[in-house]
Structure formats: C-alpha cells, structure tokens
Amino acid sequence: MQNGLYIVATPIGNLGDLSPRAKETLANAEVIACEDTRITKKLFALLNISTTGKKFIVYQNYNEEDEAQNIINLAINDKKSIALVSDAGSPLISDPGYKLIRRAREQNVPVTVLPGCCALICALQLSGLPTNRFLFAGFIPNKDKARADTLNEVRDTKATIVFYETAQRIVKTLTAAAKIFGNREMAVAREISKVYEECVNGTAAKLIEYFSSKEPKGEMVLMIAPADEKDFSTLDIENLMRQKMAEMPLKSAVKEMVAVYGLNKNEMYELALKLKNE
Ligand code: SAM
C-alpha cells in the first residue's frame, strides 16, 4: 500500500457497515493511529484482521500536537502507510485528527479518505428535518451557563442544528433548550445502526416527557429545526392564525392549527377569539 495517511471511518454500532475497501485498508496498513488501542484491537479481532507486525499509536486530543509529527515522519522517512481511525465513526468529527491531516498536507504527505459511518449524517437522515443546510455544533457543554450560551448562540441559525449528546445529559439539555427554543421542532436520534435504534421528534417539552417515561439510554444526537422553518414562537402562531382566519371561518382555522401544528385546541380557540376582537 502506498505510504501516506488513510482516514478510515469505522462502524458506529453495526460491524456490517464497514466497507470491504475500509477492511482491506485496515488489514494492509502498517501503522494504526487510534484513540484507544484496546477498542481498535477489539475491532480488528471482530473483523478477523491480524494485528501481528502492525504498530499501534495512540493519537488523542491530549497528545495530538506531539504525536502528529511522529506519525508524519513515519510516512515520510519510513514510507509507512498509516490508517487513522477513531473509536467509532468518522475520524476528525468531534474526534482527534484535523491537526494531523493539516500538517500532513502541508508536508506533502499523501492523504486519502475512505467514506463511512458518521453519526451526525445518519441522524440527520433519520430526523425528517431539513438537510439542505445544517450546522454541526459538536458536543453541548456540560456547565449550565456554557450550555445556555451555546444554545443561545445558535438560536437564530437558519439551518438545522446538530449536536452530539449523551444519555446522562439529554434531559438537562432539553430543559435548557425548552426555554430558548420554545415550541421549535427537535429530534433525538439514538443507538443508530443498533438493535434499539430510534428517532423521536417533538418540542423540547414533548421530548422531556418522552424521556421521563422511557429512561434515555445509549448514544444520541440532538437536532433542532432551523429558525425559519418550524419556530412556533407566540408571534408566529398569531401570524399563522391570522392567515388561516383570513382564508376560512374561525372554527375551521382553529381546527387547522390544531391538526397541522399539533397545538392545543382551547388555546387556539382563545387566540382566535382574541384576534377576531382586535
Ligand atoms: N466521530 C464520530 C462520528 O462522527 O460518527 C463521533 C464521535 S463522538 C466522540 C461520539 C458521539 O457521536 C456520541 O456521544 C453520540 O452523540 C454520537 N454517536 C456515536 N455513535 C452513535 C450512534 N450509534 N447513535 C447515535 N449517536 C451516536
């Protein structure tokens, strides 16, 4: 195999998702740069790939700067082929790697990518939320203020917003999101490609309700509809109701608002009366 760096995505839950080309690359690479040698060696064992004669290098956020040049030297001086993998999914996406790739390209080391699983893309595909524009915003911070700041920062983004999240923190995040996004549609995709894969859509309040009746488990991705798409802020609801009332009788307008947007019937009736008397 030609010397250089091979970015190899690995499965996020189903071994069968690794492509034959990715398997061949992992089998032929002389050096494996990975986050955790135990996890990657386990993957090799499951794939029946021998680790004999291969050098495994731990490449993590904490040693990225130091290790990057060592890995590049192996490609330049020793003409080694190096596969970069993360514990699961696509390397570099909320995982270490970009500094290594940047340096490799600066030093004319051949770099190639083998496409494969990426949790955020799979989650978006499942969500039914707009995919023409999206913002991937990584992991949501764990501290209350930082979490709220991050959510506020993306609130007006006119694109679907995608976050990586954990089961332990999802309810806290949804609680903060409820205050900032109100009735905006969201989706949580979890356990993608595993037995209990699911994607649940609803407002933050609905999703909190869902996860209080069903304990959140597994790996998950939180997605929030674009600001201009499904933001049912009070103002928008009023505008939508006005439009409907201009087109049809009051009762039908209420009925439509309830059916189309899942809003509360009594509240919509009160709103319609208020707007009628304006
Ligand atoms: N680089 C990987 C990728 O893009 O596929 C993601 C690595 S990141 C450290 C791990 C996060 O990805 C998890 O906390 C979760 O948010 C998401 N994730 C990974 N596997 C998943 C799965 N099977 N289902 C849903 N989310 C997943």
Side-chain angles (χ1 to χ4, degrees):
M1 201 157 76
Q2 203 208 325
N3 74 316
L5 277 169
Y6 296 77
I7 305 167
V8 184
T10 54
I12 57 170
N14 188 323
L15 206 59
D17 293 334
L18 190 87
S19 72
R21 188 159 82 95
K23 187 174 173 182
E24 195 186 324
T25 304
L26 293 180
N28 292 333
E30 296 155 296
V31 179
I32 311 293
C34 59
E35 290 183 86
D36 183 331
T37 51
R38 282 163 310 176
I39 291 177
T40 302
K41 282 183 177 170
K42 203 168 144 193
L43 174 71
F44 276 53
L46 290 169
L47 293 167
N48 281 322
I49 301 176
S50 165
T51 52
T52 316
K54 284 193 198 300
K55 186 179 167 73
F56 283 77
I57 298 178
V58 175
Y59 185 69
Q60 268 283 10
N61 287 325
Y62 70 85
N63 71 355
E64 224 178 328
E65 290 287 356
D66 296 339
E67 230 19 277
Q69 196 56 44
N70 292 338
I71 294 171
I72 288 165
N73 289 344
L74 287 172
I76 298 176
N77 303 332
D78 302 342
K79 299 279 173 257
K80 296 286 188 201
S81 52
I82 301 145
L84 172 68
V85 296
S86 50
D87 285 349
S90 285
L92 286 86
I93 311 300
S94 281
D95 273 334
Y98 94 89
K99 287 179 185 160
L100 171 63
I101 301 305
R102 192 176 180 84
R103 278 203 199 190
R105 298 204 35 220
E106 279 165 6
Q107 295 172 52
N108 295 320
V109 172
V111 177
T112 189
V113 63
L114 285 86
C117 294
C118 181
L120 83 97
I121 299 296
C122 299
L124 267 172
Q125 289 168 318
L126 283 175
S127 72
L129 293 174
T131 50
N132 53 333
R133 287 184 99 209
F134 64 86
L135 169 75
F136 174 57
F139 278 98
I140 303 183
N142 194 20
K143 297 243 164 69
D144 290 349
K145 183 174 179 316
R147 182 191 295 112
D149 287 350
T150 300
L151 293 174
N152 267 314
E153 199 183 309
V154 296
R155 193 192 62 184
D156 297 327
T157 305
K158 291 185 170 64
T160 298
I161 307 149
V162 187
F163 288 109
Y164 281 161
E165 220 356 317
T166 64
Q168 295 77 11
R169 306 198 315 214
I170 188 72
V171 172
K172 260 193 170 180
T173 295
L174 288 169
T175 307
K179 290 185 195 132
I180 294 163
F181 294 91
N183 285 325
R184 185 101 57 101
E185 184 180 358
M186 301 187 184
V188 174
R190 58 171 212 101
E191 294 291 85
I192 297 166
S193 74
K194 303 183 196 176
V195 179
Y196 296 108
E197 172 183 300
E198 70 173 353
C199 184
V200 199
N201 288 49
T203 60
K206 278 255 152 38
L207 291 169
I208 293 169
E209 205 180 299
Y210 180 80
F211 286 121
S212 49
S213 66
K214 184 180 178 185
E215 188 194 344
K217 280 189 186 154
E219 305 207 77
M220 44 184 68
V221 180
L222 169 67
M223 293 154 284
I224 304 172
D228 53 350
E229 187 76 11
K230 294 198 173 164
D231 192 344
F232 299 143
S233 64
T234 315
L235 193 66
D236 290 334
I237 294 170
E238 283 196 12
N239 284 338
L240 285 167
M241 179 65 95
R242 269 200 194 91
Q243 278 169 27
K244 299 265 174 243
M245 287 169 68
E247 293 162 11
M248 57 189 84
L250 185 144
K251 270 192 180 170
S252 311
V254 171
K255 221 172 162 182
E256 279 241 348
M257 292 295 282
V258 174
V260 179
Y261 302 110
L263 296 162
N264 179 283
K265 192 176 169 188
N266 291 339
E267 283 173 18
M268 287 306 102
Y269 197 69
E270 274 176 33
L271 174 65
L273 289 178
K274 184 189 108 179
L275 296 179
K276 190 180 163 202
N277 296 328
E278 263 180 6

